[in-house]
Amino acid sequence: MDALRILVVDDEAPQRELIGGFLKKQGHDILLAGSGAEALTRVRETRVDLVLSDFKMPGMPGIELLRGVKGVNPEIPFILVTAYGTVETAVQAMREGAADYLTKPLDLEELQLRIGHVTEQVRLRSAVRDLQARLVERHRLEGIIGESGRMQEVLALVKQVAPSDATVLVRGESGTGKELIARAIHFNSRRAAGPLVTLNCAALPEQLLESELFGHEKGAFTGAVAQRKGRFELADGGSIFLDEIGDLTPALQVKLLRVLQERQFERLGGTRTLPVDVRILAATHRDLEQAMRDGTFREDLYYRLNVVTIQIPALRERREDIPAFLEHFLLRFAEKNRREVTGITAAARDALLRYDYPGNVRELENIVERAVLLCRGRVIDLQDLPVALRPGERGTDGPEPQNLPDLVESIERQAIRAALERHGGVQTQAAEELGISERVLRYKLKKYGL
Ligand SMILES: Nc1ncnc2c1ncn2[C@@H]1O[C@H](COP(=O)(O)OP(=O)(O)OP(=O)(O)O)[C@@H](O)[C@H]1O
Ligand SMILES: [Mg+2]
């Protein structure tokens, strides 16, 4: 436990000194106060990491001191010591912001434990706050992470084209954030208050997709029992995001082209032409130029869509962004899964920084969520990562930790794992081969979570 500056408040000198002496032996820096008033002066004048106060004191009782301390600095944890059987007092104190309470007679070991808990909570809270503050800074454009030069260019382009009504084609490998960028364009446009309607062109068979896009009249086809509005109509006044546009069939390409050129269409089975005020955003991971050469994608549609193209680089082409992504996803998934995972070991971080991410940001996101769930302690380690990322386990020479202690640990871990495998998990034999006692082996197994 880190050394703390603890203010011990009690009107009875022997009790004060007993507690103070004990905590001093634990390595803490101790301040003593014989009354609430004296304690409050101390808190105002010097740095105090924690207040431990008796409840019943002449003059200013503990609960009033608690209020006073919170008034000076609400972040200072306060532990109240009450007489046995005064539960209401304790409840009241917790309600007013006490971090914890203990009952007399004081069990010193219990005291030490509680102090540890309280300071850990404080440390975690401030770590989370720090992270959030740093993330807010990095969050430009609604939570999009991208400090790298390549992403800054993308974001600058987003800002530039968002306010206009120009059709935008977002391109990039799978999982690079195409949908995120399309959404950002909509929400930074003057249509932000209007609808954003999304349709994945690869997800539906042709006829269904057609009626999704344009809607249908009653009786347009078997099963069309009522009139239905299509996505274009629903997107009126807003934007439509056509995902996987490269997968559109030739017949639908023609129909889409017409909407792009004339901003009007008919429902399936309908005769009335409907005008529509909609901005078109599209995305694809396909090589549209190749598709044009192959004759599967219309050239005229291509030029209509390609008014502005935003190309999102693969994650491996902007590795500088990986640390920010790690922080962002770690925080998000720790919170979502209510796990107190606060960091990543140097070895694991190294592996994460070197990996190629064929699935881009989405893959990284999945890796972090999985690691948060697998992680046994507070820190993500190599064993929490998929095998493909772990050095020495995929046959090729993977990333090696850079600093000596991590390097030693990683070698030790590998040696232990290998010995255990050779001896079918029998610890006595593995320990003998490794030249260590069974007790030491058990300790190391626990340490490495093997
Ligand atoms: N720059 C970024 N900042 C924050 N999160 C991101 C960023 N890029 C991608 N993500 C996240 O990664 C995941 C994948 O992003 P998205 O769905 O936008 O990718 P995509 O290119 O549309 O993928 P696909 O081609 O597979 O549809 C999402 O959860 C998204 O929030
Ligand atoms: Mg997508």
Side-chain angles (χ1 to χ4, degrees):
M1 196 199 303
D2 295 339
L4 299 171
R5 184 168 244 213
I6 303 176
L7 175 60
V8 180
V9 193
D10 201 309
D11 58 311
E12 284 169 50
Q15 177 78 359
R16 198 162 66 220
E17 257 126 50
L18 174 77
I19 299 173
F22 171 77
L23 292 174
K24 199 166 198 159
K25 260 195 229 136
Q26 309 293 319
H28 298 297
D29 186 10
I30 302 303
L31 302 170
L32 299 174
S35 71
E38 192 188 337
L40 211 49
T41 310
R42 281 305 188 77
V43 169
R44 284 207 187 93
E45 290 175 352
T46 54
R47 190 200 97 217
V48 171
D49 297 324
L50 188 144
V51 178
L52 178 69
S53 170
D54 190 22
F55 174 70
K56 223 172 127 221
M57 294 185 291
M60 185 189 287
I63 193 94
E64 247 179 68
L65 174 60
L66 168 64
R67 287 173 200 147
V69 170
K70 292 283 152 191
V72 177
N73 179 356
E75 304 284 312
I76 300 176
F78 193 108
I79 301 181
L80 198 68
V81 182
T82 66
Y84 177 74
T86 49
V87 184
E88 296 98 82
T89 319
V91 170
Q92 172 72 9
M94 297 295 277
R95 223 177 257 146
E96 300 214 13
D100 205 348
Y101 70 92
L102 288 161
T103 49
K104 283 184 184 177
L106 263 191
D107 175 339
L108 290 177
E109 265 181 44
E110 181 69 20
L111 171 64
Q112 191 188 351
L113 211 75
R114 299 289 186 90
I115 289 178
H117 277 161
V118 167
T119 52
E120 182 59 15
Q121 280 168 16
V122 171
R123 198 186 61 72
L124 274 176
R125 261 205 304 275
S126 82
V128 167
R129 253 203 316 272
D130 275 9
L131 267 178
Q132 277 165 341
R134 265 184 286 157
L135 280 170
V136 166
E137 240 173 70
R138 283 179 178 146
H139 271 201
R140 312 203 174 107
L141 289 159
E142 275 107 312
I144 298 174
I145 288 172
E147 289 184 322
S148 62
R150 300 284 305 270
M151 275 310 281
Q152 286 297 318
E153 277 169 32
V154 166
L155 296 180
L157 197 51
V158 167
K159 266 194 202 147
Q160 201 188 329
V161 303
S164 77
D165 264 347
T167 299
V168 181
L169 179 61
V170 187
R171 304 181 67 170
E173 287 180 13
S174 175
T176 45
K178 296 186 292 294
E179 181 158 1
L180 195 69
I181 291 296
R183 296 178 63 82
I185 293 171
H186 171 75
F187 287 111
N188 283 285
S189 76
R190 59 176 185 82
R191 295 172 178 268
L196 170 63
V197 175
T198 293
L199 187 62
N200 186 329
C201 302
L204 295 172
E206 185 171 28
Q207 202 206 358
L208 226 54
L209 184 60
E210 186 176 2
S211 87
E212 277 301 320
L213 281 169
F214 306 110
H216 60 248
E217 297 295 345
K218 185 176 173 181
F221 50 86
T222 359
V225 290
Q227 185 206 67
R228 190 158 173 247
K229 286 186 178 179
R231 304 287 171 109
F232 271 110
E233 257 179 287
L234 295 173
D236 197 41
S239 314
I240 189 166
F241 174 50
L242 301 172
D243 205 356
E244 311 291 1
I245 193 115
D247 293 43
L248 216 54
T249 58
L252 284 181
Q253 288 176 31
V254 178
K255 297 207 167 181
L256 179 61
L257 182 64
R258 168 151 179 251
V259 184
L260 279 168
Q261 284 171 337
E262 299 169 18
R263 304 283 155 170
Q264 58 185 27
F265 65 95
E266 289 93 34
R267 294 193 193 117
L268 256 73
T271 48
R272 204 151 49 98
T273 299
L274 304 167
V276 66
D277 168 29
V278 65
R279 182 192 201 166
I280 292 157
L281 307 170
T284 184
H285 67 277
R286 292 203 185 279
D287 182 348
L288 290 184
E289 292 74 15
Q290 185 59 46
M292 277 193 297
R293 285 193 292 274
D294 295 344
T296 55
F297 202 82
R298 295 179 65 100
E299 211 167 326
D300 43 8
L301 178 60
Y302 173 82
Y303 289 112
R304 281 282 169 189
L305 286 173
N306 204 10
V307 180
V308 177
T309 288
I310 297 184
Q311 177 76 42
I312 310 183
L315 186 55
R316 63 184 171 281
E317 293 164 12
R318 45 172 161 131
R319 289 180 186 279
E320 317 90 275
D321 286 340
I322 296 176
F325 276 123
L326 290 176
E327 263 176 45
H328 173 72
F329 291 133
L330 186 62
L331 196 70
R332 183 199 301 166
F333 292 123
E335 220 160 68
K336 177 182 155 202
N337 298 297
R338 295 175 196 283
R339 300 288 309 266
E340 281 186 4
V341 179
T342 53
I344 303 174
T345 63
R349 174 174 293 271
D350 222 63
L352 286 161
L353 291 177
R354 282 169 196 238
Y355 184 59
D356 259 353
Y357 300 98
N360 294 293
V361 182
R362 179 175 292 111
E363 185 178 12
L364 172 61
E365 187 177 4
N366 292 339
I367 289 174
V368 175
E369 177 157 32
R370 176 179 176 276
V372 165
L373 292 172
L374 286 179
C375 182
R376 293 185 202 191
R378 296 181 187 285
V379 181
I380 289 173
D381 202 352
L382 274 179
Q383 82 228 10
D384 307 321
L385 303 180
V387 176
L389 272 76
R390 292 188 225 151
E393 281 185 41
R394 42 175 186 172
T396 60
D397 51 343
E400 284 286 339
Q402 290 304 309
N403 66 51
L404 192 57
D406 282 345
L407 190 59
V408 170
E409 273 201 8
S410 117
I411 292 170
E412 195 168 70
R413 183 201 305 272
Q414 274 176 42
I416 291 172
R417 206 195 297 256
L420 277 171
E421 265 165 29
R422 276 193 293 278
H423 295 286
V426 182
Q427 294 184 6
T428 333
Q429 292 170 13
E432 196 179 288
E433 184 196 317
L434 292 164
I436 55 178
S437 72
E438 242 190 291
R439 200 176 55 80
V440 171
L441 177 63
R442 269 199 300 276
Y443 163 78
K444 288 187 188 295
L445 288 176
K446 210 166 142 200
K447 175 177 166 194
Y448 296 136
L450 289 171

